[in-house]
C-alpha cells in the first residue's frame, strides 16, 4: 500500500511539472564497476557526461575505447593527460570490453 | 571431455550464436526490444527508457507507436552537451539573426508569436541512430532501440519569413543554427548545424509549440528548429542564434558525426570504413509495430489488431503490408493519414490466429516513390549505426 501511494504521488508530481522556476535534470547514480583506474575515469569522463553514456555503448574493443578517448581529447578538447589516457583505456577495456584488441 | 576439446566446442558454439560477427562482414538484425522504462521520471516526462542523465537520453517504449501523434511526455530526448540552462525566462528569451543579412535582428518570443504568420506542421522527428542496436559489430554510440522517434504537431513561424525580415545578402549561402546547450569546457565545439539555403523550404519552421503546448523543456523549450523529413540532428533545440554565411565552416558535429558512406548502399565493412561520407539528412521509409509487443500472449481464435506507424522523408506512405507468417505472404493494412505527408501514417491489420504457439508479425512500408523497407539482414552495416529501417518483427504466443 505504501508503495502504491508513493507511485501515485510521483505520478501526480510529474503530471503537473511545468517550466516555472528552475528546471533541473535529475542525477542518476549508475552502477559502474570499481577497480584499478576508476579514479581516473571519474576525474576525466564525468566532467562532460554520465556513466550511462559509457555503459550504453555496448561491449567494445580496446581500439574502440582508445579511439573514443582520443576523440574526447582531439575534438571535444578534454584535458586528459597521456598517463590517464592509458589508464582509462585499460579500465574501459577490462570492464566494458568485448575481449578483442581491434 | 578433455579441456582442449571443451574449448574447441565452446568456441564453435559461440561462433554459431554470434554468426559471422567474429569474421569480417557487418550484420544487421532486429534492434534490441527488451529494455524497460525506468522507475524515475524526468521533468515533464513519464518514466522512459533511460540511457543517460547528462546529457539526457530518453527513449520512448514501443507502445507509443500505436498512435499517430506522440504525447509530449512520452517524446524521446537526445542532447549532445552536458550543460542545459536550468532556467529560461520566456519573457526575456530572444533569438538572434546575424551574419550576411541587411540588418541584424533580435526577436523576442512575444514578437515571434505576434509579428509573423503562425503556421503548423505535423512531422516525425527521428534520431539518425534510432535502432542502432540492430547492427553488429556494435557501432559506437548509444545502443538505441526503435524508440528514438516521435511525431508531433509543431506550431511556429517559417524560417523563411525570419530570414526575409532580416534580408539575405547576395553572398548568403549557408545558415548556421546554435542553441543554448553548452559543453563543460570552453574549447569544446558547440553543437552547431549548418544547412545550405536551398535545403530550406517553406516547411521549415522555428517552433514554440508542440501538440498545443509549450515545447517540453527537454524537447527544446522555448524554441526549436523543425525540419520535416530530416533526421533530428539538425532540429536544433533551445534555438538562440541563426547565422548566415557565404562559406561552410568546418564543424565537428557536421564533419565527423551523423554521416554515412557516400555510396549506393550507404554501407561498408568494419575493417575498411568507406570514404567519402555524406550527412544523413533525409529519413528513409520505415514502419514500426506498436501493438502487439514481443512476448505477449494472445488467445487462439481471437481478433488481434496489429497497429503501428509508418513514415518517410515526406514523399508520403503509399501502403503498409503486414505478414503473419514470417514474411511468406503479405497483406495490405488499413491506413489512416490525416496529418499530412511528414506525419506518421497509422496502420492497422486484423488477424485471427488459428494455430497455437509462436506467431510472428512483420510490417513493411512502401512510399509514394515505390521504395520499400528491406529485411533487417539485407541492410548494409555502417560504422555510425545510422539509418536502420528494417522490416519490424514482433513475436507473440498464441495460447
Amino acid at each position: 500500500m505504501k508503495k502504491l501511494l508513493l507511485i501515485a504521488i510521483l505520478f501526480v508530481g510529474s503530471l503537473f511539472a511545468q517550466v516555472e522556476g528552475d528546471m533541473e535534470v535529475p542525477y542518476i547514480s549508475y552502477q559502474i564497476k570499481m577497480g584499478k583506474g576508476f579514479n581516473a575515469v571519474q576525474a576525466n569522463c564525468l566532467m562532460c557526461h554520465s556513466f550511462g553514456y559509457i555503459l550504453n555503448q555496448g561491449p567494445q574493443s580496446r581500439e574502440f575505447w582508445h579511439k573514443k578517448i582520443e576523440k574526447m581529447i582531439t575534438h571535444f578538447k578534454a584535458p586528459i593527460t597521456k598517463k590517464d589516457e592509458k589508464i582509462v583505456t585499460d579500465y574501459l577495456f577490462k570492464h566494458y570490453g568485448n575481449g578483442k584488441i581491434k | 571431455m578433455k579441456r582442449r576439446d571443451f574449448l574447441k566446442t565452446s568456441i564453435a558454439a559461440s561462433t554459431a550464436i554470434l554468426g559471422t560477427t567474429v569474421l569480417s562482414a557487418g550484420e544487421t538484425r532486429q534492434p534490441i526490444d527488451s529494455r524497460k522504462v525506468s522507475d524515475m521520471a524526468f521533468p515533464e516526462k513519464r518514466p522512459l527508457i533511460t540511457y543517460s542523465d547528462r546529457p539526457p537520453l530518453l527513449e520512448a517504449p514501443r507502445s507509443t507507436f500505436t498512435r499517430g501523434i506522440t504525447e509530449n511526455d512520452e517524446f524521446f530526448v537526445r542532447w549532445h552537451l552536458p550543460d542545459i540552462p536550468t532556467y529560461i525566462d520566456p519573457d526575456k528569451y530572444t533569438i538572434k539573426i546575424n551574419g550576411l543579412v541587411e540588418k541584424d535582428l533580435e526577436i523576442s518570443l512575444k514578437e515571434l508569436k505576434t509579428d509573423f504568420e503562425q503556421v503548423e506542421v505535423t512531422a516525425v522527428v527521428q534520431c539518425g541512430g534510432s535502432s542502432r542496436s540492430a547492427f553488429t559489430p556494435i557501432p559506437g554510440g548509444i545502443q538505441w532501440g526503435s524508440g528514438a522517434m516521435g511525431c508531433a504537431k509543431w506550431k511556429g513561424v517559417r524560417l523563411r519569413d525570419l530570414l526575409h525580415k532580416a534580408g539575405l545578402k547576395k553572398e548568403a549561402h549557408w545558415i548556421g543554427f546554435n542553441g543554448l546547450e553548452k559543453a563543460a569546457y570552453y574549447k569544446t565545439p558547440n553543437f552547431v548545424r549548418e544547412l545550405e539555403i536551398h535545403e530550406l523550404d517553406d516547411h521549415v519552421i522555428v517552433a514554440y509549440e508542440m501538440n498545443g503546448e509549450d515545447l517540453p523543456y527537454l524537447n527544446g523549450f522555448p524554441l526549436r528548429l523543425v525540419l520535416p523529413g530530416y533526421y533530428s540532428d539538425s532540429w536544433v533545440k533551445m534555438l538562440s542564434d541563426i547565422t548566415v554565411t557565404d562559406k561552410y565552416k568546418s564543424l565537428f558535429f557536421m564533419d565527423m558525426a551523423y554521416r554515412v558512406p557516400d555510396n549506393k548502399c550507404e554501407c561498408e565493412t568494419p575493417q575498411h570504413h568507406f570514404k567519402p561520407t555524406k550527412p544523413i539528412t533525409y529519413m528513409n521509409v520505415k514502419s514500426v509495430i506498436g501493438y502487439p509487443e514481443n512476448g505477449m500472449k494472445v488467445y487462439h481464435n481471437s481478433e488481434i489488431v496489429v497497429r503501428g506507424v509508418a513514415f518517410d522523408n515526406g514523399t508520403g506512405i503509399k501502403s503498409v503490408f503486414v505478414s503473419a507468417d514470417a514474411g511468406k505472404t503479405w497483406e495490405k493494412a488499413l491506413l489512416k493519414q490525416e496529418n499530412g505527408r511528414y506525419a506518421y501514417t497509422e496502420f492497422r491489420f486484423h488477424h485471427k490466429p488459428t494455430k497455437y504457439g509462436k506467431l510472428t508479425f512483420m510490417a513493411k512500408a512502401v512510399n509514394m516513390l515505390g521504395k520499400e523497407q528491406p529485411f533487417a539482414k539485407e541492410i548494409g552495416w555502417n560504422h555510425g549505426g545510422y539509418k536502420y529501417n528494417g522490416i519490424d518483427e514482433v513475436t507473440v504466443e498464441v495460447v
Side-chain angles (χ1 to χ4, degrees):
Chain A
M1 188 59 212
K2 237 182 193 170
K3 203 174 175 187
L4 270 179
L5 202 66
L6 190 67
I7 290 167
I9 290 167
L10 278 175
F11 185 65
V12 170
S14 63
L15 199 65
F16 293 108
Q18 292 292 325
V19 188
E20 276 174 23
D22 280 18
M23 177 70 88
E24 282 211 56
V25 173
Y27 172 78
I28 298 175
S29 163
Y30 285 93
Q31 299 289 314
I32 187 153
K33 305 252 175 68
M34 292 296 141
K36 194 180 159 204
F38 176 75
N39 287 346
V41 170
Q42 194 169 32
N44 287 294
C45 308
L46 270 193
M47 272 301 285
C48 295
H49 60 80
S50 67
F51 287 136
Y53 224 105
I54 297 173
L55 303 178
N56 288 302
Q57 300 283 319
Q60 297 284 2
S61 69
R62 186 182 169 85
E63 186 190 37
F64 173 93
W65 285 122
H66 188 227
K67 279 192 172 166
K68 277 278 167 185
I69 297 161
E70 280 182 335
K71 179 169 107 176
M72 298 302 157
I73 297 168
T74 314
H75 295 296
F76 290 96
K77 313 295 176 196
I80 303 172
T81 62
K82 272 277 157 216
K83 191 178 152 213
D84 278 359
E85 187 179 332
K86 177 159 189 319
I87 295 172
V88 174
T89 307
D90 289 345
Y91 167 91
L92 291 173
F93 182 57
K94 182 174 178 203
H95 297 288
Y96 301 100
N98 63 5
K100 291 174 200 154
I101 296 302
K102 271 189 122 173
Chain B
M1 193 195 285
K2 279 183 189 157
R3 188 180 144 76
R4 231 176 117 184
D5 290 338
F6 171 77
L7 270 177
K8 264 190 204 158
T9 330
S10 60
I11 288 168
S14 63
T15 311
I17 294 162
L18 292 171
T20 55
T21 56
V22 289
L23 299 171
S24 60
E27 271 201 349
T28 312
R29 57 189 175 199
Q30 290 295 306
I32 292 175
D33 187 44
S34 54
R35 297 197 180 98
K36 300 274 175 280
V37 299
S38 128
D39 33 0
M40 275 285 288
F42 277 57
E44 298 176 287
K45 295 285 169 185
R46 293 179 217 190
L48 298 171
I49 298 164
T50 304
Y51 294 100
S52 167
D53 53 341
R54 204 169 47 95
L57 303 172
L58 309 174
E59 179 179 329
R62 187 183 274 281
S63 57
T64 56
F65 306 124
T66 54
R67 293 184 300 277
I69 296 289
T70 314
E71 305 270 340
N72 286 3
D73 61 2
E74 283 190 303
F75 219 93
F76 84 99
V77 170
R78 199 272 188 258
W79 292 77
H80 295 84
L81 301 173
D83 283 354
I84 306 171
T86 54
Y87 180 65
I88 288 173
D89 182 349
D91 294 332
K92 294 200 178 113
Y93 195 89
T94 60
I95 176 168
K96 296 183 191 72
I97 303 173
N98 52 36
L100 292 172
V101 291
E102 299 299 338
K103 56 175 185 292
D104 288 3
L105 295 181
E106 184 165 1
I107 305 169
S108 71
L109 264 185
K110 201 179 162 201
E111 286 166 337
L112 205 73
K113 292 177 186 180
T114 51
D115 295 1
F116 297 88
E117 187 187 343
Q118 311 298 297
V119 291
E120 283 188 344
V121 62
T122 304
V124 177
V125 54
Q126 181 190 203
C127 174
S130 190
S131 310
R132 178 178 286 129
S133 57
F135 295 99
T136 43
I138 302 170
I142 296 298
Q143 298 303 302
W144 298 100
S146 290
M149 65 174 201
C151 178
K153 184 181 279 186
W154 311 92
K155 184 176 178 184
V157 303
R158 288 189 194 94
L159 175 68
R160 181 160 287 180
D161 291 349
L162 297 180
L163 295 176
H164 184 74
K165 179 145 192 195
L168 290 178
K169 287 194 172 162
K170 241 191 212 155
E171 318 87 84
H173 188 69
W174 290 87
I175 319 271
F177 301 92
N178 193 14
L180 291 186
E181 62 179 323
K182 292 270 183 308
Y185 297 111
Y186 177 69
K187 284 182 175 168
T188 306
N190 279 325
F191 188 74
V192 175
R193 306 303 292 171
E194 284 194 334
L195 294 166
E196 277 188 274
I197 280 177
H198 71 79
E199 293 181 274
L200 305 166
D201 63 18
D202 275 355
H203 295 116
V204 177
I205 68 172
V206 173
Y208 50 80
E209 237 180 67
M210 183 173 164
N211 296 329
E213 297 173 0
D214 286 347
L215 293 172
Y217 183 80
L218 290 173
N219 293 108
F221 178 83
L223 275 184
R224 84 177 296 176
L225 193 62
V226 167
L227 285 157
Y230 278 73
Y231 285 102
S232 62
D233 49 296
S234 293
W235 293 47
V236 174
K237 297 182 285 296
M238 290 188 185
L239 181 63
S240 58
D241 292 274
I242 298 176
T243 308
V244 183
T245 55
D246 54 348
K247 284 195 190 74
Y248 171 77
K249 270 182 296 181
S250 185
L251 300 162
F252 168 77
F253 283 104
M254 293 295 295
D255 295 343
M256 307 296 284
Y258 296 113
R259 298 181 77 89
V260 285
D262 190 3
N263 55 23
K264 192 153 181 278
C265 67
E266 298 181 343
C267 68
E268 60 198 340
T269 65
Q271 288 75 29
H272 300 286
H273 293 181
F274 187 88
K275 277 187 182 149
T277 60
K278 61 184 174 188
I280 56 175
T281 59
Y282 298 116
M283 296 189 288
N284 47 21
V285 61
K286 188 169 182 177
S287 67
V288 179
I289 297 168
Y291 179 87
E293 297 184 28
N294 276 310
M296 277 183 171
K297 288 188 172 71
V298 299
Y299 285 112
H300 181 257
N301 259 334
S302 67
E303 182 88 2
I304 298 171
V305 186
V306 179
R307 283 181 289 169
V309 293
F311 61 97
D312 71 345
N313 65 333
T315 65
I317 295 299
K318 189 176 176 199
S319 352
V320 176
F321 294 91
V322 174
S323 170
D325 57 7
K328 281 188 220 96
T329 58
W330 296 85
E331 282 183 71
K332 264 191 184 175
L334 297 169
L335 305 186
K336 188 160 117 187
Q337 298 176 300
E338 50 193 28
N339 293 316
R341 61 193 173 97
Y342 292 114
Y344 278 157
T345 288
E346 292 177 62
F347 67 86
R348 47 168 56 211
F349 177 81
H350 293 255
H351 180 78
K352 199 178 263 190
T354 51
K355 280 187 202 147
Y356 291 98
K358 294 250 190 285
L359 167 63
T360 298
F361 291 110
M362 294 181 176
K364 172 171 70 175
V366 184
N367 75 4
M368 290 297 180
L369 298 175
K371 290 246 184 229
E372 63 176 64
Q373 287 179 263
F375 279 103
K377 62 178 187 221
E378 294 166 351
I379 296 176
W381 187 89
N382 72 82
H383 78 277
Y386 294 122
K387 298 184 79 166
Y388 172 87
N389 69 334
I391 289 172
D392 197 27
E393 286 182 30
V394 162
T395 301
V396 298
E397 198 183 347
V398 183
V399 294

